[in-house]
């Protein structure tokens, strides 16, 4: 059986939650492999809304195993709060259906404080982080001073590890005029939450390998989007992890041979949250209309998203760097009310034509989008369509032209937040 990796092909917020939920019906295991609780998924199932930040989307489905891989950074308190919220909505969460990699890095209160202090400082570049400690936690992981889930099961060694961590952090805190963090206080907080967290601890790589060998279908669930990848995104306005498909192998403990089909979730227009370049941004009535029709507010932060036309140059580039086999095109219905629709088909940089987004941030900021204008389907509706025959003819032409421009086929087409309002072109699990 094929295993599917789901990633966002833009700056996140492409509608991964619905697609992952739709695919999770066909999967046996759903695995998160990067990021933290800085990105959210909204699921609408039978009219009931579930908002997830850290838990895999498969958790709302009975009979599925949900796992958090080693590539994810885990805030213990945020995770337990999310579990409590879901239980209040009638969702069963237990060590039987949910596992966390024993080598997953923990997000601590000091990470959140450092993140907020940096983002609020008057000096330096404003990244537009969620101030949830994601970046500082990944820094500690790479710096080999992080605390991991398995450390909570070995309290005798915790004092020395906390001391090593605070040598670094208290030096930073003094420079930021923050009070030094107390090691005993941190340990007490960790020991208090440890009994709630450690029952979910497991060698996730082993569980996934066993599931694969047993012929079970694994769905790898990414967070954010590939344009926020720390290597391939619009650096420095990116997240702190790799968001491309290759991270599914690294962040779960399975080799790349386990990744059969990469599905890029792609919004029919473009949005981004926070700072950074955005060649097709429409800071005008068009952008406002897209935002209002698309309900473009962040699941986690509530921040208003910047909106613009579809950027085929960026998506084509991400198809190549992220290894995308096919796309799930979402929110097509948001374009229903437009007489004309524009697609960015190329760039100009300092007057010269260019067919990719350069890595240099200053050049990214100077990029000018080159548009092609298409006839819209105002007066007709794609909302709720479940077959090609239900779509307006101009909407079909728009989708086909996107396929041509980005060099990847449409695997799925979403026409509303409801799970069943989906047109299946090809089942990615049957790759």
């Amino acid at each position: 059986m094929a295993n599917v990796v789901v990633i966002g092909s833009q700056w996140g917020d492409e509608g991964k939650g619905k697609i992952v939920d739709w695919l999770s019906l066909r999967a046996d295991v759903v695995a998160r492999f990067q990021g933290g609780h800085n990105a959210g998924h909204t699921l609408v199932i039978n009219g009931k809304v579930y908002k997830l930040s850290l838990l895999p989307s498969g958790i709302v489905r009975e009979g599925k195993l949900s796992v958090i891989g080693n590539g994810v950074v885990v805030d213990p308190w945020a995770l337990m709060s999310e579990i409590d919220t879901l239980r209040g909505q009638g969702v069963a969460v237990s060590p039987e259906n949910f596992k966390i990699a024993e080598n997953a890095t923990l997000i601590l209160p000091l990470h959140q404080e450092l993140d907020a202090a940096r983002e609020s400082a008057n000096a330096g570049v404003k990244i537009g982080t969620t101030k949830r400690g994601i970046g500082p936690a990944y820094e500690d992981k790479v710096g080999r001073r992080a605390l991991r889930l398995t450390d909570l099961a070995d309290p005798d060694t915790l004092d020395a590890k906390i001391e090593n961590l605070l040598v670094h952090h208290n030096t930073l805190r003094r420079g930021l005029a923050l009070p030094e963090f107390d090691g005993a206080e941190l340990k007490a907080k960790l020991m208090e939450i440890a009994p709630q967290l450690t029952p979910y601890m497991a060698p996730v790589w082993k569980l996934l390998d066993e599931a694969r060998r047993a012929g079970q279908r694994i769905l790898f669930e990414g967070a954010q989007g590939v344009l926020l990848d720390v290597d391939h995104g619009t650096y420095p306005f990116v997240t702190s992890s790799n968001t491309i498909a290759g991270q599914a192998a690294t962040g779960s403990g399975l080799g790349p041979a386990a990744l059969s089909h990469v599905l890029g979730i792609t919004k029919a227009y473009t949005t981004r949250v926070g700072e950074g370049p955005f060649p097709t941004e429409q800071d005008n009535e068009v952008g406002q209309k897209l935002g209002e029709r698309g309900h473009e507010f962040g699941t986690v932060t509530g921040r208003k998203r910047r909106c613009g036309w579809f950027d085929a140059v960026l998506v084509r580039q991400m198809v190549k760097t992220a290894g995308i086999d096919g796309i799930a095109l979402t929110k097509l219905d948001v374009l229903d009310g437009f007489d004309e629709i524009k697609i960015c088909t190329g760039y100009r940089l300092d007057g010269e034509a260019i067919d990719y987004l350069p890595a240099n941030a200053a050049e990214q900021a100077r990029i000018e989008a080159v548009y092609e204008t298409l006839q819209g389907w105002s007066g007709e509706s794609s909302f709720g369509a479940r077959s090609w025959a239900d779509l307006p003819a101009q909407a079909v032409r728009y989708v086909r032209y996107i396929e041509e421009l980005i060099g990847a086929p449409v695997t799925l087409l979403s026409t509303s937040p409801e799970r069943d309002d989906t047109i299946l072109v090809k089942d990615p699990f049957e790759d």
Side-chain angles (χ1 to χ4, degrees):
M1 291 294 180
N3 300 316
V4 177
V5 183
V6 172
I7 56 177
S9 72
Q10 294 152 310
W11 279 292
D13 309 311
E14 301 96 348
K16 291 185 291 296
K18 169 190 169 174
I19 302 300
V20 170
D21 172 60
W22 192 87
L23 290 171
S24 70
L25 289 174
R26 295 159 170 76
D28 301 294
V29 183
V30 182
R32 279 282 309 272
F33 58 86
Q34 52 77 218
H37 64 307
N38 54 336
H41 290 182
T42 299
L43 310 181
V44 181
I45 303 172
N46 297 325
K48 197 167 186 178
V49 178
Y50 302 93
K51 294 191 175 182
L52 307 177
S53 295
L54 193 54
L55 289 166
S57 297
I59 198 70
V60 300
R61 295 294 180 188
E62 291 185 13
K64 313 294 180 182
L65 175 63
S66 292
V67 304
I68 288 179
N70 56 276
V72 178
V73 286
V74 179
D75 182 321
W77 299 273
L79 175 59
M80 296 315 302
S81 176
E82 192 172 325
I83 288 174
D84 289 342
T85 298
L86 277 187
R87 285 174 174 163
Q89 293 184 277
V91 177
V93 183
S94 74
E96 297 300 314
N97 68 338
F98 175 54
K99 301 290 185 181
I100 312 171
E102 57 190 357
N103 52 339
T105 294
L106 300 180
I107 299 175
L108 307 172
L110 53 82
H111 293 133
Q112 294 177 332
E113 291 182 16
L114 177 58
D115 204 357
R118 285 173 171 170
E119 194 67 16
S120 301
N122 292 325
V125 176
K126 301 291 184 185
I127 303 298
T129 77
T130 57
K131 302 179 183 178
R132 294 175 180 245
I134 310 297
Y138 274 116
E139 289 177 38
D140 283 344
K141 176 180 179 177
V142 176
R144 293 162 292 186
R145 55 182 170 265
L147 299 183
R148 306 194 298 177
L149 179 57
T150 187
D151 294 327
L152 300 188
D154 191 8
D156 291 340
T157 66
L158 205 50
D159 288 318
K161 292 175 181 177
I162 289 175
E163 181 180 359
N164 179 57
L165 179 68
L166 293 185
V167 166
H168 173 79
H169 275 274
N170 281 336
T171 301
L172 287 176
R173 293 172 73 87
R174 287 192 294 269
L176 291 167
L178 295 174
E180 293 193 7
F181 214 93
D182 181 76
E185 178 184 344
L186 177 57
K187 183 178 180 181
K189 288 178 179 288
L190 290 170
M191 289 298 94
E192 181 181 10
I193 196 125
Q196 302 175 56
L197 203 61
T198 52
Y200 300 102
M201 186 173 71
V204 160
W205 65 269
K206 188 172 185 293
L207 295 179
L208 292 176
D209 180 67
E210 291 170 351
R212 182 190 177 200
R213 291 178 182 277
Q216 295 184 334
R217 293 172 165 179
I218 304 172
L219 180 62
F220 296 92
E221 177 183 4
Q224 291 97 22
V226 293
L227 281 164
L228 295 175
D229 186 279
V230 70
D231 286 300
H232 301 287
T234 49
Y235 189 91
F237 305 101
V238 293
T239 193
S240 303
S241 60
N242 287 112
T243 58
I244 62 171
Q247 179 62 21
T250 306
S252 67
L254 281 185
L259 315 181
S260 309
H261 185 94
V262 179
L263 182 65
I265 314 303
T266 307
K267 195 177 287 186
Y269 50 101
T270 311
T271 64
R272 83 169 296 174
V273 172
E275 308 298 325
F278 187 168
T280 64
E281 181 175 12
Q282 299 296 301
D283 189 13
N284 51 30
E285 291 183 1
V286 169
Q288 183 176 349
K289 185 175 181 179
L290 287 169
E292 290 173 352
R293 290 182 58 84
H295 306 290
E296 296 296 351
F297 297 91
T299 301
V300 171
T301 64
R303 288 186 293 181
K304 184 178 179 180
R305 297 172 186 143
R306 301 156 62 190
C307 299
W309 295 118
F310 186 84
D311 191 333
V313 180
L314 280 184
V315 176
R316 181 173 64 242
Q317 187 169 330
M318 294 303 103
V319 164
K320 298 177 187 299
T321 59
I324 293 172
D325 297 307
I327 68 167
L329 192 66
T330 64
K331 290 197 167 185
L332 181 67
D333 55 292
V334 173
L335 300 178
D336 282 357
F338 289 88
D339 294 322
E340 292 184 340
I341 298 171
K342 292 185 178 182
I343 294 182
C344 174
T345 57
Y347 291 154
R348 295 189 72 83
L349 175 61
D350 301 332
E352 297 293 328
I354 185 172
D355 63 356
Y356 69 98
L357 188 73
N360 184 282
E363 291 181 341
Q364 291 176 357
R366 300 200 305 273
I367 286 289
E368 298 177 32
V370 177
Y371 293 106
E372 185 170 334
T373 302
L374 281 68
Q375 181 183 340
W377 50 93
S378 180
E380 297 182 84
S381 177
S382 66
F383 183 83
R386 298 184 181 182
S387 71
W388 289 106
D390 295 333
L391 292 173
Q394 288 302 132
V396 174
R397 291 190 183 96
Y398 180 75
V399 173
R400 294 305 188 197
Y401 194 39
I402 284 177
E403 289 182 313
E404 179 184 335
L405 290 171
I406 68 174
V410 169
T411 301
L412 294 167
L413 184 63
S414 172
T415 57
S416 94
E418 290 292 336
R419 178 175 57 83
D420 291 336
D421 292 339
T422 304
I423 300 172
L424 174 64
V425 181
K426 177 184 178 183
D427 189 339
F429 279 116
E430 300 298 332
D431 192 24

